[in-house]
Amino acid sequence: MYGGPLILPATPATISRLAQACAEADDALTVIPSVMPAPPMPFIPAEMQGQIVIMAAVCYVVDSAQADEALRPLREIATPVMDMVQPMPYAALMDEEIPFRGHPVAVRAIFGDHIDESVGATILAGLNRSDSWLQFVQFRVLGGAISRVAPGATAYAHRKSPIMVIVGRALEDDQLAARQWTEELAAALYQGDDGAYINFFGPHHSDRIEAAYPGETLARLRRIKATYDPTNLFRNNDNITPA
């Protein structure tokens, strides 16, 4: 497989074009872009650290002979700041250093249906309003195999939502300010989808259970909970109570 970071300049146009390229990619290509200040990582030159860029994690799992053509639309969005996408085993991709590993963050995840230049400008304006060393807006274009399963088939019911957006900021400086910043920027990026994704809940999001498991999905999970854990023994989590 091919994998690694692709770092692009962060402008409203490049953010929008990258989202479009992700939506048009085949199922074998996964790209997770994070718009953020370039973190203090060994492979990033010191003079670049702190500049807002798009750090895209790339994973392409088809025969390497097809890789250049599959990755070409990403590389043509703009001249890459750094291009470290290369052949590697999947395990090596998972071993890559994560800049915020070990650092608690305030986080807010929402679903949306588009990322155009206006959305890109909102992302950059939000990042420029904070001087935290660690802040990011990550987006994941969904669709593909996810969208080919019925929303009611599993606990994950948001299969028709095209995009997930995750806003995060380090809690190390001012926890209240960090949470307020994430909430305000997520609100500015809101596009009418009230869904939430449980894996990106923070400690203050227990009131969003119905957003994670809407309607009949939550009712079904509560019935299952009543069958297997009627006393709610397993409750030290984002809890689903027994019916």
Side-chain angles (χ1 to χ4, degrees), residues 167-183:
V167 183
R169 177 177 145 174
L171 284 171
E172 294 172 338
D173 45 4
D174 183 330
Q175 293 193 16
L176 182 59
R179 288 198 297 271
Q180 182 175 350
W181 180 85
T182 59
E183 299 290 334

Side-chain angles (χ1 to χ4, degrees), residues 131-154:
D131 59 2
S132 173
W133 75 275
L134 174 59
Q135 54 177 326
F136 60 88
V137 177
Q138 182 183 100
F139 60 90
R140 304 183 180 204
V141 176
L142 307 176
I146 292 174
S147 64
R148 294 194 287 271
V149 176
T154 70

Side-chain angles (χ1 to χ4, degrees), residues 52-214:
I52 295 178
V53 296
I54 305 172
M55 293 194 64
V58 177
C59 177
Y60 184 64
V61 294
V62 174
D63 185 278
S64 59
Q66 304 174 45
D68 285 343
E69 184 61 23
L71 297 173
R72 181 178 53 79
L74 303 181
R75 290 168 167 152
E76 291 182 349
I77 289 170
T79 302
V81 176
M82 295 185 70
D83 185 348
M84 300 180 67
V85 181
Q86 58 189 309
M88 64 169 61
Y90 184 75
L93 181 65
M94 294 296 97
D95 282 341
E96 285 189 347
E97 183 177 347
I98 299 174
F100 48 83
R101 181 172 287 157
H103 297 277
V105 297
V107 64
R108 182 78 170 190
I110 60 175
F111 290 101
D113 59 20
H114 68 278
I115 294 182
D116 56 16
E117 290 194 30
S118 175
V119 173
T122 300
I123 291 172
L124 293 175
L127 291 170
N128 283 317
R129 284 196 298 271
S130 169
D131 59 2
S132 173
W133 75 275
L134 174 59
Q135 54 177 326
F136 60 88
V137 177
Q138 182 183 100
F139 60 90
R140 304 183 180 204
V141 176
L142 307 176
I146 292 174
S147 64
R148 294 194 287 271
V149 176
T154 70
Y156 177 69
H158 306 290
R159 296 182 178 277
K160 301 305 179 185
S161 297
I163 298 171
M164 184 192 302
V165 178
I166 304 103
V167 183
R169 177 177 145 174
L171 284 171
E172 294 172 338
D173 45 4
D174 183 330
Q175 293 193 16
L176 182 59
R179 288 198 297 271
Q180 182 175 350
W181 180 85
T182 59
E183 299 290 334
E184 288 179 351
L185 183 49
L189 295 169
Y190 174 74
Q191 296 175 359
D193 189 329
D194 293 319
Y197 185 50
I198 196 78
N199 282 6
F200 291 112
F201 273 19
H204 303 280
H205 294 161
S206 59
D207 61 337
R208 302 187 75 202
I209 289 295
E210 292 186 5
Y213 305 117

